[in-house]
Amino acid sequence: MNEELTGRLRTAAEAHQPDRARILARVERGTSDAPARHGESSGARPWLRVALASLATAGVLAVGGFAAAAIVQSPPARPHVSVTPAAPSATGSPHATPSAPATGGPPAPDRSSSTSPSPAAAGGAGPARPGSAQVQDGPLSSAGALDASSNAYWAQSNLTLKATQPLTTLTVELRITQTGGVQSTGSWRTLPADDFTVTVQHEGTGVVYRWILKPGRTVPAGQHVFAGQYNHAAGEREIEHDGYRVDAKGPRGALSVRGGFTPAR
Protein backbone atom coordinates (compact mmCIF):
# COMPACT_ATOMS: atom_id res chain seq x y z
CA MET A 1 0.00 0.00 0.00
CA ASN A 2 1.50 3.28 -1.08
CA GLU A 3 1.44 6.50 0.88
CA GLU A 4 -1.27 8.15 -1.25
CA LEU A 5 -3.82 5.33 -0.72
CA THR A 6 -3.04 5.13 2.98
CA GLY A 7 -3.60 8.85 3.33
CA ARG A 8 -6.99 8.67 1.57
CA LEU A 9 -8.20 5.79 3.77
CA ARG A 10 -7.07 7.57 6.91
CA THR A 11 -8.95 10.74 5.88
CA ALA A 12 -12.11 8.76 5.06
CA ALA A 13 -11.97 6.88 8.38
CA GLU A 14 -11.59 10.07 10.38
CA ALA A 15 -14.51 11.73 8.51
CA HIS A 16 -16.84 8.67 8.80
CA GLN A 17 -19.75 9.05 11.31
CA PRO A 18 -22.13 6.02 11.37
CA ASP A 19 -25.92 6.75 11.05
CA ARG A 20 -27.21 4.78 14.06
CA ALA A 21 -30.91 5.43 13.36
CA ARG A 22 -30.64 4.18 9.78
CA ILE A 23 -28.81 1.02 10.89
CA LEU A 24 -31.50 0.25 13.51
CA ALA A 25 -34.27 0.73 10.93
CA ARG A 26 -32.63 -1.71 8.49
CA VAL A 27 -32.10 -4.31 11.21
CA GLU A 28 -35.72 -3.97 12.36
CA ARG A 29 -37.04 -4.42 8.80
CA GLY A 30 -34.95 -7.51 8.40
CA THR A 31 -36.21 -9.12 11.56
CA SER A 32 -39.85 -8.26 10.82
CA ASP A 33 -39.74 -10.22 7.53
CA ALA A 34 -38.48 -13.43 9.20
CA PRO A 35 -41.28 -16.06 9.80
CA ALA A 36 -42.14 -16.81 13.37
CA ARG A 37 -41.14 -20.23 14.71
CA HIS A 38 -43.81 -22.75 15.65
CA GLY A 39 -45.04 -22.38 19.20
CA GLU A 40 -43.36 -19.03 19.68
CA SER A 41 -45.61 -16.46 21.21
CA SER A 42 -46.18 -13.25 19.39
CA GLY A 43 -45.41 -11.29 22.59
CA ALA A 44 -41.80 -12.34 22.53
CA ARG A 45 -41.12 -10.85 19.09
CA PRO A 46 -40.81 -7.19 20.15
CA TRP A 47 -38.23 -8.06 22.79
CA LEU A 48 -36.30 -10.23 20.37
CA ARG A 49 -36.33 -7.56 17.71
CA VAL A 50 -34.99 -4.98 20.11
CA ALA A 51 -32.17 -7.28 21.30
CA LEU A 52 -31.14 -8.30 17.78
CA ALA A 53 -31.19 -4.70 16.65
CA SER A 54 -28.99 -3.63 19.55
CA LEU A 55 -26.52 -6.43 18.92
CA ALA A 56 -26.36 -5.69 15.22
CA THR A 57 -25.85 -1.99 15.82
CA ALA A 58 -23.08 -2.62 18.34
CA GLY A 59 -21.36 -5.02 15.96
CA VAL A 60 -21.48 -2.60 13.04
CA LEU A 61 -20.18 0.28 15.16
CA ALA A 62 -17.38 -1.84 16.64
CA VAL A 63 -16.21 -3.13 13.24
CA GLY A 64 -16.30 0.35 11.80
CA GLY A 65 -14.33 1.73 14.75
CA PHE A 66 -11.69 -1.00 14.54
CA ALA A 67 -11.26 -0.42 10.83
CA ALA A 68 -10.89 3.32 11.29
CA ALA A 69 -8.44 2.85 14.13
CA ALA A 70 -6.37 0.44 12.11
CA ILE A 71 -6.18 2.86 9.21
CA VAL A 72 -5.42 5.92 11.37
CA GLN A 73 -2.84 4.17 13.56
CA SER A 74 -1.00 2.37 10.78
CA PRO A 75 2.46 3.94 10.47
CA PRO A 76 3.48 5.46 7.16
CA ALA A 77 5.75 3.43 4.94
CA ARG A 78 9.43 4.03 5.71
CA PRO A 79 11.37 5.37 2.75
CA HIS A 80 14.34 3.35 1.58
CA VAL A 81 17.57 5.02 2.66
CA SER A 82 20.87 4.15 1.07
CA VAL A 83 23.78 4.18 3.55
CA THR A 84 27.28 4.75 2.27
CA PRO A 85 30.11 3.44 4.52
CA ALA A 86 32.25 6.20 5.97
CA ALA A 87 35.82 6.50 4.80
CA PRO A 88 38.40 5.16 7.30
CA SER A 89 39.73 7.76 9.70
CA ALA A 90 43.16 9.20 9.09
CA THR A 91 43.85 9.18 12.82
CA GLY A 92 45.71 6.31 14.33
CA SER A 93 48.21 6.18 11.48
CA PRO A 94 51.44 4.53 12.61
CA HIS A 95 53.43 7.28 10.95
CA ALA A 96 53.63 10.40 13.06
CA THR A 97 55.00 13.70 11.81
CA PRO A 98 57.79 14.86 14.04
CA SER A 99 57.44 18.32 15.50
CA ALA A 100 59.85 21.07 14.50
CA PRO A 101 62.66 21.74 17.01
CA ALA A 102 62.17 24.76 19.22
CA THR A 103 64.24 27.79 18.36
CA GLY A 104 66.38 29.64 20.86
CA GLY A 105 67.57 26.45 22.62
CA PRO A 106 71.14 25.37 23.42
CA PRO A 107 73.59 24.79 20.56
CA ALA A 108 73.40 21.48 18.73
CA PRO A 109 76.03 18.93 19.84
CA ASP A 110 79.08 18.42 17.65
CA ARG A 111 79.47 15.38 15.42
CA SER A 112 83.06 14.33 15.87
CA SER A 113 85.05 12.11 13.52
CA SER A 114 87.11 9.13 14.69
CA THR A 115 90.40 10.48 13.33
CA SER A 116 92.45 13.32 14.66
CA PRO A 117 94.61 15.48 12.36
CA SER A 118 98.20 16.08 13.22
CA PRO A 119 99.19 19.37 14.87
CA ALA A 120 100.59 20.56 11.51
CA ALA A 121 97.24 19.95 9.79
CA ALA A 122 95.53 21.72 12.66
CA GLY A 123 97.29 24.95 11.84
CA GLY A 124 100.47 24.44 13.85
CA ALA A 125 98.81 24.11 17.28
CA GLY A 126 100.79 22.22 19.87
CA PRO A 127 99.29 19.95 22.54
CA ALA A 128 96.91 21.52 25.03
CA ARG A 129 98.76 21.10 28.30
CA PRO A 130 98.56 22.87 31.64
CA GLY A 131 101.52 24.99 32.62
CA SER A 132 102.35 28.63 32.26
CA ALA A 133 99.12 30.32 31.20
CA GLN A 134 98.81 32.98 28.53
CA VAL A 135 95.14 33.85 28.54
CA GLN A 136 95.39 36.91 26.23
CA ASP A 137 97.20 37.72 23.02
CA GLY A 138 96.25 41.08 21.53
CA PRO A 139 92.62 41.00 20.32
CA LEU A 140 92.13 37.38 21.57
CA SER A 141 91.47 36.48 25.23
CA SER A 142 90.37 33.26 26.93
CA ALA A 143 89.02 31.75 30.17
CA GLY A 144 88.51 28.08 31.13
CA ALA A 145 86.09 26.85 33.82
CA LEU A 146 84.31 23.71 34.96
CA ASP A 147 80.58 24.02 34.28
CA ALA A 148 78.25 24.40 37.25
CA SER A 149 76.17 21.40 36.08
CA SER A 150 79.10 19.01 36.67
CA ASN A 151 78.65 16.33 39.34
CA ALA A 152 80.45 13.42 41.01
CA TYR A 153 80.24 11.23 37.87
CA TRP A 154 80.04 13.63 34.93
CA ALA A 155 81.58 16.99 34.01
CA GLN A 156 81.66 19.68 31.35
CA SER A 157 84.72 21.85 30.72
CA ASN A 158 84.02 25.23 29.10
CA LEU A 159 86.40 27.48 27.18
CA THR A 160 85.24 31.04 26.54
CA LEU A 161 87.00 33.02 23.80
CA LYS A 162 86.66 36.76 23.24
CA ALA A 163 87.82 38.21 19.94
CA THR A 164 87.72 41.94 19.27
CA GLN A 165 88.59 41.33 15.61
CA PRO A 166 87.52 38.65 13.09
CA LEU A 167 89.63 35.46 12.89
CA THR A 168 90.46 33.81 9.56
CA THR A 169 91.89 30.62 11.09
CA LEU A 170 91.12 28.99 14.44
CA THR A 171 92.10 25.75 16.15
CA VAL A 172 90.76 25.01 19.64
CA GLU A 173 91.96 22.08 21.76
CA LEU A 174 90.69 20.91 25.16
CA ARG A 175 92.74 18.22 26.91
CA ILE A 176 91.03 16.27 29.72
CA THR A 177 93.57 14.20 31.62
CA GLN A 178 92.74 10.54 32.20
CA THR A 179 92.35 10.31 35.97
CA GLY A 180 90.13 7.23 35.90
CA GLY A 181 86.95 6.49 33.99
CA VAL A 182 87.25 9.53 31.67
CA GLN A 183 85.10 8.89 28.60
CA SER A 184 83.71 11.51 26.20
CA THR A 185 79.92 11.98 26.13
CA GLY A 186 79.81 14.81 23.60
CA SER A 187 80.80 18.38 22.78
CA TRP A 188 79.31 21.61 21.43
CA ARG A 189 80.16 25.20 20.46
CA THR A 190 78.20 28.40 20.00
CA LEU A 191 79.58 29.04 16.49
CA PRO A 192 77.93 27.32 13.48
CA ALA A 193 78.62 23.57 13.42
CA ASP A 194 79.16 23.55 9.64
CA ASP A 195 82.11 25.92 10.03
CA PHE A 196 84.25 23.38 11.92
CA THR A 197 85.81 19.97 11.62
CA VAL A 198 85.44 18.30 15.02
CA THR A 199 87.38 15.33 16.43
CA VAL A 200 87.58 13.63 19.82
CA GLN A 201 90.59 11.36 20.38
CA HIS A 202 92.39 9.51 23.17
CA GLU A 203 95.88 10.94 22.91
CA GLY A 204 98.62 10.08 25.37
CA THR A 205 97.26 10.41 28.88
CA GLY A 206 94.01 12.16 28.09
CA VAL A 207 91.03 12.84 25.85
CA VAL A 208 91.49 15.70 23.37
CA TYR A 209 88.58 17.67 21.87
CA ARG A 210 89.64 19.56 18.74
CA TRP A 211 87.73 22.13 16.62
CA ILE A 212 89.36 23.33 13.35
CA LEU A 213 87.86 26.22 11.35
CA LYS A 214 87.26 25.12 7.75
CA PRO A 215 89.09 26.99 4.93
CA GLY A 216 87.23 30.05 3.69
CA ARG A 217 85.23 30.47 6.93
CA THR A 218 85.63 33.38 9.35
CA VAL A 219 85.00 33.70 13.08
CA PRO A 220 83.30 37.04 13.76
CA ALA A 221 84.36 39.33 16.57
CA GLY A 222 82.53 38.54 19.80
CA GLN A 223 82.36 35.96 22.59
CA HIS A 224 82.31 32.25 21.71
CA VAL A 225 82.14 29.10 23.86
CA PHE A 226 83.60 25.60 23.24
CA ALA A 227 82.64 22.75 25.63
CA GLY A 228 83.71 19.15 26.15
CA GLN A 229 81.54 16.69 28.12
CA TYR A 230 82.72 13.44 29.73
CA ASN A 231 82.17 10.82 32.42
CA HIS A 232 84.80 10.31 35.10
CA ALA A 233 85.47 8.19 38.18
CA ALA A 234 83.28 8.86 41.19
CA GLY A 235 84.29 11.93 43.13
CA GLU A 236 85.22 15.53 42.50
CA ARG A 237 86.82 16.21 39.12
CA GLU A 238 90.59 16.84 39.33
CA ILE A 239 90.75 19.85 36.99
CA GLU A 240 94.30 20.84 37.93
CA HIS A 241 95.66 18.49 35.24
CA ASP A 242 93.29 19.66 32.46
CA GLY A 243 94.09 22.45 30.01
CA TYR A 244 93.36 24.19 26.68
CA ARG A 245 95.23 25.78 23.80
CA VAL A 246 94.00 28.09 21.01
CA ASP A 247 95.85 29.12 17.84
CA ALA A 248 94.37 31.60 15.41
CA LYS A 249 95.11 34.29 12.82
CA GLY A 250 93.66 37.79 12.72
CA PRO A 251 94.44 41.11 11.00
CA ARG A 252 97.64 41.39 13.07
CA GLY A 253 98.83 37.87 12.22
CA ALA A 254 99.17 34.74 14.37
CA LEU A 255 97.59 34.62 17.82
CA SER A 256 97.83 32.03 20.60
CA VAL A 257 96.38 31.60 24.10
CA ARG A 258 96.49 28.72 26.60
CA GLY A 259 95.56 27.97 30.20
CA GLY A 260 93.68 25.73 32.61
CA PHE A 261 90.19 25.50 34.18
CA THR A 262 88.82 27.00 37.37
CA PRO A 263 86.41 25.07 39.67
CA ALA A 264 82.67 25.30 39.12
CA ARG A 265 80.98 28.20 40.82
Side-chain angles (χ1 to χ4, degrees):
M1 183 181 294
N2 57 31
E3 295 183 2
E4 183 179 0
L5 181 57
T6 302
R8 291 182 178 180
L9 291 176
R10 185 182 295 109
T11 303
E14 292 175 350
H16 176 69
Q17 296 182 357
D19 191 344
R20 187 171 180 276
R22 184 177 179 183
I23 293 173
L24 288 176
R26 292 182 61 183
V27 172
E28 185 175 359
R29 284 199 305 271
T31 55
S32 62
D33 294 338
R37 294 183 178 180
H38 179 72
E40 182 180 0
S41 61
S42 59
R45 290 182 180 179
W47 173 85
L48 180 60
R49 292 177 181 176
V50 173
L52 290 175
S54 299
L55 290 175
T57 302
V60 171
L61 292 176
V63 171
F66 289 150
I71 294 173
V72 172
Q73 295 178 3
S74 61
R78 298 177 62 183
H80 176 70
V81 179
S82 175
V83 179
T84 303
S89 174
T91 59
S93 171
H95 304 288
T97 303
S99 58
T103 59
D110 291 316
R111 295 182 179 179
S112 59
S113 64
S114 58
T115 60
S116 177
S118 64
R129 297 184 184 277
S132 58
Q134 181 180 333
V135 297
Q136 184 169 359
D137 185 3
L140 182 65
S141 61
S142 61
L146 195 65
D147 194 85
S149 61
S150 303
N151 55 52
Y153 302 95
W154 177 90
Q156 174 176 301
S157 295
N158 300 333
L159 171 61
T160 302
L161 293 180
K162 294 182 180 179
T164 59
Q165 297 176 359
L167 305 176
T168 56
T169 67
L170 177 66
T171 298
V172 177
E173 292 182 357
L174 303 185
R175 177 175 290 273
I176 308 301
T177 303
Q178 182 61 261
T179 56
V182 174
Q183 183 68 36
S184 174
T185 60
S187 63
W188 55 268
R189 77 294 51 100
T190 55
L191 290 165
D194 293 340
D195 287 357
F196 290 87
T197 299
V198 184
T199 60
V200 180
Q201 283 291 102
H202 289 270
E203 297 180 4
T205 60
V207 177
V208 178
Y209 299 81
R210 184 176 287 114
W211 294 264
I212 302 174
L213 185 66
K214 294 179 180 179
R217 309 297 174 91
T218 301
V219 174
Q223 179 172 296
H224 315 292
V225 178
F226 296 81
Q229 302 170 328
Y230 49 92
N231 292 328
H232 59 78
E236 185 177 357
R237 176 60 192 161
E238 301 175 9
I239 59 173
E240 61 269 17
H241 299 297
D242 300 337
Y244 68 85
R245 179 184 175 105
V246 179
D247 289 275
K249 284 185 179 180
R252 293 176 51 188
L255 304 168
S256 182
V257 293
R258 60 186 180 275
F261 299 91
T262 60
R265 296 178 180 178

